[in-house]
Amino acid sequence: MDKLGSLCKRRGFVFPSSEIYGGIGSTWDYGPLGAELKRNLKSFWWDAMTNRRDDIEGLDAAILMHPKVWHTSGHVAEFTDPLVDCKRCKRRFRADDPSIKGSKCPECGGELTDARKFNLMFKTFMGPVEDEAAVVYLRPETAQGIYVNFLNVKNSSRQKVPFGIAQIGKAFRNEITPGNFIFRTREFEQMEMQFFIHPSEDEKWFEYWREQRWNWYQALGIKKEKLRWHQHDHGELAHYAKTAYDIQYEYPFGWQELEGIHNRTDFDLSRHMQASSKDLRYSDERYTEKFIPYIIETSAGCDRTLLTILVDGYDEIEVKGETRVFLRISPVVAPIKAAIFPLVKKDGMPEFAEKVYLELKKKFKVFYDESGAVGRRYARMDEAGTPYCITIDGDTLKDETMTVRDRDTMEQTRMKIPQIVEFLEKKVSGL
Ligand code: GAP
């Protein structure tokens, strides 16, 4: 993780937030390569979940919602972690922290307080008066924005159950123990989809979405042997879930949750229906009675998936006594799709390379580099995750072909510009 953190800083994937002021606990900023990687990742998810399907609509709801939403959803009462304080050093721990032995502080040996519930939601104030009436919460999950818009989306899109609503957006949790780089942070992005179904079909759709989401990580190029399922037992289940499975990944710090798939039953819609007095039941000509749809939720963390891509792709190879870093990430999400190099800075090669660069730039994020030995240029691109390097050499000027080098196989194939465009289009779309 340390090596990955320093690569991310050096190459501009991720920086500590507010670094010139010493940083602020557990928030991170995405640099030029990181922002591009994140954008590609979100597009890949959005594409799979909405554009390539007819039964899922997109939504972009506000972060600040009516406070009643969070009372109704159960988050004000239930979205808590048990917390203990050290009476001596004042440090705080989750009561279930495995490093706690008995009632002693794992840092200083001081006495710990009894466990108390600590709500993870951030509060702020809306409007000019800082009193209780104006308290609003930063959303701890994007899901509620979907539930309160269920009728709006259904009526405007004319979708019929089974159908889904997908959303990507920021969520905030005042985590007691954030850490492991961007794995657990207090501000993060979620990619969530809520699928509305007839209650009698919940098990079928739950299995369907487990399979879909598992396959999505394969399409993203994540190593299969590093993924596994974890079913929540009764004690682990969130307050809204009947059944829940996590897709876990084996990080350098152990197996941990990457995405959650939950059967939320009619818990959320029933409660919102009761609290808002709006009829959220569903009916169409296929059913004799109105019903409150059940919801199958797929909930992925965007930052956590990005971390997974980096961890999964990180590779080191010894070349002539030197450690070379390769970021073997899928062309679908790679920040730079191809780099273009003239072999040498003479004989018309830079001019030809510039032409290739300008042509490819119309369709792909590409990078032009003519400085230093070509081996160094390859190395810089390998650690930035660039899957292809295109080199213009002496033969290019004779027959217009250039070498396209594959970062992972090291194979070099000669192609002309139209072939390269076709090749990149295919690789970048993940087809
Ligand atoms: N709407 C359901 C829900 O929010 P969750 O299991 O609490 O479920 C879903 O969160 C996903 O969001 C997690 O699998 C993880 O990828 C991401 N996530 C949750 N808390 C996070 C945090 N503090 N930092 C980064 N990602 C987080």
Side-chain angles (χ1 to χ4, degrees):
M1 288 303 287
D2 288 346
K3 284 178 178 175
L4 187 66
S6 72
L7 172 74
C8 283
K9 172 98 196 288
R10 187 157 45 84
R11 293 312 310 260
F13 281 96
V14 183
F15 307 128
S17 165
S18 321
E19 198 185 6
I20 60 167
Y21 288 101
I24 169 170
S26 98
T27 53
W28 301 86
D29 298 338
Y30 290 88
L33 293 186
E36 207 61 46
L37 173 56
K38 201 175 191 198
R39 245 168 46 86
N40 294 340
L41 169 60
K42 288 193 271 187
S43 297
F44 187 57
W45 185 89
W46 191 259
D47 207 37
M49 298 301 268
T50 67
N51 300 342
R52 289 182 187 220
R53 306 183 61 105
D54 296 323
D55 56 355
I56 301 185
E57 303 289 338
L59 181 75
D60 186 357
I63 289 172
L64 299 175
M65 303 177 73
H66 196 295
K68 278 188 184 161
V69 169
W70 304 110
H71 286 278
T72 307
S73 67
H75 283 81
V76 172
E78 307 274 357
F79 198 56
T80 56
D81 273 344
L83 178 94
V84 289
D85 289 295
C86 172
K87 290 182 185 167
R88 191 192 298 164
C89 73
K90 310 292 178 208
R91 283 196 178 86
R92 283 184 162 176
F93 306 91
R94 281 176 65 126
D96 52 8
D97 187 327
S99 67
I100 296 178
K101 307 274 178 278
S103 59
K104 294 279 175 266
C105 170
E107 294 291 332
C108 76
E111 197 188 334
L112 296 173
T113 59
D114 288 339
R116 62 191 171 84
K117 280 183 170 184
F118 174 75
N119 196 291
L120 299 182
M121 282 196 293
F122 280 98
K123 277 184 191 171
T124 187
F125 301 94
M126 188 173 261
V129 191
E130 284 199 9
D131 64 11
E132 261 311 293
V135 164
V136 288
Y137 300 94
L138 301 190
R139 64 181 178 199
E141 60 169 12
T142 61
Q144 298 299 326
I146 295 181
Y147 305 146
V148 300
N149 276 295
F150 169 65
L151 285 184
N152 284 337
V153 175
K154 175 181 80 71
N155 295 340
S156 57
S157 66
R158 298 167 58 222
Q159 287 279 3
K160 292 183 168 181
V161 299
F163 78 95
I165 305 177
Q167 170 163 231
I168 299 176
K170 290 266 182 173
F172 302 83
R173 295 181 189 177
N174 198 4
E175 300 280 2
I176 302 167
T177 46
N180 287 322
F181 194 31
I182 53 172
F183 177 80
R184 181 171 287 111
T185 52
R186 296 193 170 112
E187 171 179 344
F188 55 98
E189 244 174 317
Q190 289 188 314
M191 307 186 289
E192 294 198 309
M193 193 282 300
Q194 315 294 324
F195 205 68
F196 301 87
I197 55 170
H198 190 275
S200 64
E201 297 191 324
D202 65 339
E203 281 169 24
K204 176 182 108 182
W205 285 110
F206 191 75
E207 287 311 310
Y208 171 84
W209 278 109
R210 277 182 58 192
E211 190 185 339
Q212 291 292 310
R213 297 305 302 146
W214 180 266
N215 292 344
W216 185 80
Y217 289 100
Q218 315 294 308
L220 190 58
I222 303 298
K223 295 184 191 88
K224 208 173 172 178
E225 64 275 16
K226 292 275 189 180
L227 294 168
R228 74 175 187 194
W229 286 107
H230 166 74
Q231 182 176 13
H232 284 212
D233 63 28
H234 200 70
E236 284 173 281
L237 280 178
H239 62 274
Y240 48 71
K242 172 180 154 191
T243 338
Y245 274 82
D246 293 338
I247 296 178
Q248 291 189 334
Y249 181 82
E250 191 180 21
Y251 298 95
F253 44 88
W255 286 96
Q256 293 284 341
E257 171 182 351
L258 168 58
E259 164 160 353
I261 293 140
H262 313 125
N263 180 351
R264 292 181 75 132
T265 67
D266 59 2
F267 177 88
D268 300 273
L269 288 186
S270 301
R271 298 210 16 171
H272 285 305
M273 179 158 137
Q274 223 172 20
S276 68
S277 306
K278 294 280 180 303
D279 188 356
L280 302 180
R281 288 175 302 168
Y282 178 90
S283 68
D284 72 35
E285 62 288 353
R286 293 170 297 169
Y287 303 101
T288 47
E289 281 180 7
K290 283 186 168 187
F291 62 92
I292 301 174
Y294 266 34
I295 291 168
I296 307 299
E297 167 183 68
T298 70
S299 178
C302 179
D303 312 76
R304 202 171 281 186
T305 309
L306 191 144
L307 175 67
T308 310
I309 293 170
L310 294 175
V311 165
D312 203 61
Y314 188 92
D315 192 15
E316 285 180 352
I317 292 181
E318 287 288 322
V319 183
K320 294 180 197 147
E322 189 192 337
T323 307
R324 294 263 315 272
V325 174
F326 289 78
L327 212 45
R328 305 193 189 282
I329 61 182
S330 162
V332 171
V333 288
I336 300 169
K337 306 303 182 190
I340 295 125
F341 309 147
L343 185 61
V344 289
K345 264 198 271 184
K346 56 181 185 186
D347 303 335
M349 291 182 211
E351 290 76 10
F352 197 100
E354 176 93 15
K355 225 173 64 183
V356 174
Y357 170 68
L358 292 175
E359 192 56 33
L360 294 181
K361 200 169 135 82
K362 291 178 193 162
K363 293 201 165 177
F364 312 101
K365 176 91 179 159
V366 286
F367 182 76
Y368 179 83
D369 191 3
E370 58 175 28
S371 64
V374 77
R376 281 268 144 244
R377 286 181 260 164
Y378 281 139
R380 286 200 289 264
M381 285 297 114
D382 292 338
E383 65 169 19
T386 307
Y388 306 106
C389 289
I390 300 163
T391 304
I392 284 79
D393 56 21
D395 287 346
T396 314
L397 305 173
K398 292 181 211 141
D399 62 9
E400 300 198 338
T401 65
M402 51 215 106
T403 60
V404 178
R405 167 204 181 255
D406 183 304
R407 177 198 60 210
D408 300 333
T409 63
M410 292 282 183
E411 263 174 40
Q412 305 210 8
T413 317
R414 294 200 78 89
M415 298 185 208
K416 293 185 180 180
I417 291 184
Q419 261 177 299
I420 295 179
V421 171
E422 204 180 311
F423 172 81
L424 287 180
E425 251 161 10
K426 198 165 155 226
K427 295 290 184 186
V428 164
S429 70
L431 296 172

